Amino acid sequence: MNTERLNGVVSIKNGRPQIINPNALKGLMDDLIYEAVFTGDEEKKKVSLLFIKEMAKEAGAIPSSIQGLYEELGRNYQGFTVPAINIRGLTYDAARAVFRKAIANNVGAFIFEIARSEIGYTKQRPLEFTSVVLAAAVREGFKGPVFIQGDHFQLVRRNFISDPDAETNYLKGLIKEAIDAEFYNIDIDASTLVDLEKPTISEQQRPNFEKTAELAEHIRQMQPAGITISVGGEIGEIGGKNSTPEELRAYLDGFKKIFRGANGLSKISVQTGTTHGGVVLPDGTLAKVKIDFDTLRVLSDIARREYGLSGCVQHGASTLPEEAFHMFPETGTSEVHLATGFQNIIYDSKHLPEEFRKEVYGFIKQEYAKEKKGDQTEDQFIYSTRKKGFGPLKKKWWDIPLAAREPVMKELEAMFELLFGKLKVGNTKDIVARTVRPVVVKKEVNPEVLGG
């Protein structure tokens, strides 16, 4: 990062950035974050991203835990559902689009998230993800808590069966990396370990709640002073059978008995009929999803009334029809996870240069040919695999001409506007301000690594 351009804009005192000219910093952010993400020197990249993150905090965009808001929802549901937005590609541009619509609609209750699997195939380690999102906040002038979440921090079943300690320790390492990068919201997914062959529901859920409790305790040991990280659990692997009240109670009762800590879970993910990414038909179109909103209503009510949680979390919802989203607030769903729908808007946009789209699809067909299932059409294969085109070609995505990127972002903005309205999170800035106290965790920067 060339720091000479920051003269008169930002100074560094005792390893901390001091902002002299906020408006000038906004104007520089596009170049600063691009250089930080794509520098070839790993140490310089780390320090540059850290520097941008610390500048953002000084500018008023502060990584925060949503715990206080969710405690309020546990006491008194407020009639809105918090959108958790996964961004796989064009992260800086897409986050800017989210912040623009949040500012326009006075939205405070929204989350940026990335899953364990996405960290891998999008090539966005936690520090990069946090820094890019916060750079977008600075660029758009957003101030206040910014909720960044580790989504599906999952124990992979085949890995766990092969070597339980190695898989658990890997996830603990990822949790530490995420907390260091200021992910103050983490969803633990040990639902992959549920054993349906056991005779009782409690025994079926035991490996799930035991590992969730162990990892939640690890989070509590890692969290910075003054911050209670919001921790989510999960009882039904997404894409499996619908969850039941008996499973919910067995899991939460088991967790409460063995968890050692002052704060347990703030929410619980359940299965209601959706599948991550939707189900793609042979012609490449999506099958209609029938979601069980009664399950969401019943389980969210139990989670709040009996356990004080914020409610239930719905995964795999972004490919639902637009007319379905209003049902989430009506059924008391506290959080909904949205990913593939945004990816689809980007890939399917008429504004995405056709030659580039062909390049990405050609790359996918060559690099991931072995993943094509025997009965898949090419359209099905491309749809299910194109998420993996973001990471290896990340720089080419960022280098798409602005004249093409801007109209794609307008399409995303329209979807964010619709979702914010349907989920009723407009004008939630005030309740977030009342319930969430941002804590600035100060991290020193070594300016010598940045260079002149």
Side-chain angles (χ1 to χ4, degrees):
M1 179 188 291
N2 184 345
T3 57
E4 289 181 358
R5 78 186 78 180
L6 294 174
N7 290 340
V9 180
V10 178
S11 64
I12 300 178
K13 185 177 181 180
N14 297 324
R16 295 287 304 159
Q18 308 289 319
I19 298 174
I20 302 166
N21 188 333
N23 286 330
L25 180 61
K26 285 184 188 180
L28 291 173
M29 195 51 70
D30 293 2
D31 290 339
L32 292 175
I33 193 62
Y34 183 93
E35 290 176 15
V37 170
F38 295 111
T39 183
D41 183 320
E42 283 302 312
E43 180 61 20
K44 194 169 184 178
K45 175 177 181 174
K46 179 180 177 182
V47 176
S48 297
L49 290 170
L50 179 62
F51 185 49
I52 288 170
K53 179 164 68 68
E54 296 309 294
M55 284 193 293
K57 286 150 66 173
E58 288 295 314
I62 305 170
S64 300
S65 168
I66 205 167
Q67 178 77 15
L69 175 63
Y70 279 5
E71 288 176 359
E72 176 62 24
L73 296 185
R75 292 186 292 266
N76 179 26
Y77 181 63
Q78 299 292 313
F80 61 80
T81 298
V82 178
I85 299 167
N86 298 62
I87 305 180
R88 295 169 176 168
L90 292 172
T91 303
Y92 179 63
D93 295 272
R96 285 184 61 191
V98 174
F99 283 120
R100 282 195 293 273
K101 284 303 169 187
I103 292 168
N105 294 280
N106 199 36
V107 179
F110 62 105
I111 294 169
F112 294 94
E113 66 178 3
I114 188 167
R116 168 182 172 173
S117 59
E118 289 171 327
I119 289 170
Y121 64 72
T122 68
K123 299 192 184 303
Q124 299 181 97
R125 299 307 303 178
L127 176 60
E128 178 180 323
F129 189 76
T130 299
S131 300
V132 171
V133 167
L134 293 179
V138 173
R139 184 68 172 80
E140 297 303 326
F142 182 90
K143 296 180 185 293
V146 178
F147 304 117
I148 299 173
Q149 181 160 281
D151 174 32
H152 276 303
F153 273 31
Q154 184 180 82
L155 288 164
V156 178
R157 184 178 180 86
R158 65 179 180 277
N159 296 349
F160 187 85
I161 291 173
S162 174
D163 191 334
D165 290 341
E167 178 65 3
T168 302
N169 289 334
Y170 176 86
L171 195 53
K172 285 182 176 180
L174 180 60
I175 286 169
K176 183 181 185 306
E177 180 185 351
I179 294 173
D180 286 344
E182 304 198 65
F183 283 40
Y184 295 143
N185 310 275
I186 295 176
D187 285 355
I188 299 168
D189 180 9
S191 67
T192 51
L193 308 183
V194 170
D195 186 354
L196 296 178
E197 294 184 1
K198 295 293 184 182
T200 68
I201 292 175
S202 179
E203 288 306 304
Q204 291 170 9
Q205 288 289 334
R206 178 171 296 280
N208 184 8
F209 64 68
E210 285 183 342
K211 275 298 170 183
T212 303
E214 178 184 343
L215 292 166
E217 288 171 12
H218 178 67
I219 289 171
R220 294 287 172 249
Q221 291 164 4
M222 295 286 105
Q223 66 191 13
I227 294 177
T228 300
I229 290 175
S230 171
V231 180
E234 183 162 334
I235 58 170
E237 188 175 2
I238 303 306
K241 74 177 188 65
N242 287 4
S243 302
T244 66
E246 292 76 18
E247 289 169 336
L248 182 83
R249 291 188 175 103
Y251 173 85
L252 291 175
D253 287 343
F255 178 90
K256 283 178 66 177
K257 285 179 182 176
I258 63 174
F259 174 72
R260 297 184 299 275
N263 298 92
L265 303 177
S266 65
K267 57 187 174 177
I268 180 103
S269 296
V270 299
Q271 167 59 5
T272 62
T274 61
T275 301
H276 282 129
V279 176
V280 65
L281 301 172
D283 64 356
T285 61
L286 287 174
K288 289 187 177 180
V289 178
K290 179 172 172 49
I291 191 168
D292 187 349
F293 284 107
D294 286 338
T295 293
L296 273 176
R297 188 191 309 276
V298 169
L299 297 186
S300 287
D301 181 64
I302 293 171
R304 271 192 295 272
R305 183 166 39 82
E306 298 182 20
Y307 298 93
L309 275 62
S310 63
C312 287
V313 177
Q314 174 67 56
H315 287 259
S318 66
T319 55
L320 290 171
E322 293 176 1
E323 59 269 19
F325 284 98
H326 73 94
M327 289 296 295
F328 293 114
E330 291 181 15
T331 52
T333 308
S334 62
E335 184 177 303
V336 61
H337 289 214
L338 308 156
T340 305
F342 308 133
Q343 170 185 293
N344 292 350
I345 288 172
I346 293 171
Y347 266 115
D348 297 337
S349 173
K350 65 181 181 181
H351 302 289
L352 187 70
E354 183 60 28
E355 285 304 310
F356 179 68
R357 186 187 290 108
K358 288 180 179 177
E359 180 182 352
V360 177
Y361 288 177
F363 173 84
I364 288 167
K365 284 188 275 190
Q366 179 177 325
E367 294 296 318
Y368 302 107
K370 292 181 179 178
E371 295 185 20
K372 188 174 186 294
K373 298 173 184 174
D375 59 346
Q376 275 188 323
T377 65
E378 184 169 290
D379 285 333
Q380 287 175 310
F381 169 65
I382 289 292
Y383 181 87
S384 63
T385 315
R386 63 184 180 176
K387 62 187 180 182
K388 297 182 179 181
F390 285 121
L393 302 175
K394 180 165 62 176
K395 189 171 186 298
K396 291 191 174 186
W397 280 98
W398 281 54
D399 286 342
I400 292 172
L402 189 61
R405 280 186 286 126
E406 280 190 334
V408 174
M409 290 306 118
K410 288 293 182 186
E411 294 178 57
L412 277 179
E413 280 188 51
M415 179 54 72
F416 296 141
E417 177 103 50
L418 181 144
L419 289 169
F420 287 165
K422 295 277 190 179
L423 299 176
K424 298 187 177 179
V425 289
N427 296 316
T428 53
K429 191 88 171 173
D430 291 343
I431 189 171
V432 168
R434 290 199 308 272
T435 58
V436 175
R437 183 176 63 86
V439 176
V440 175
V441 179
K442 295 184 177 181
K443 298 177 186 258
E444 291 188 3
V445 178
N446 180 2
E448 294 179 5
V449 177
L450 297 173

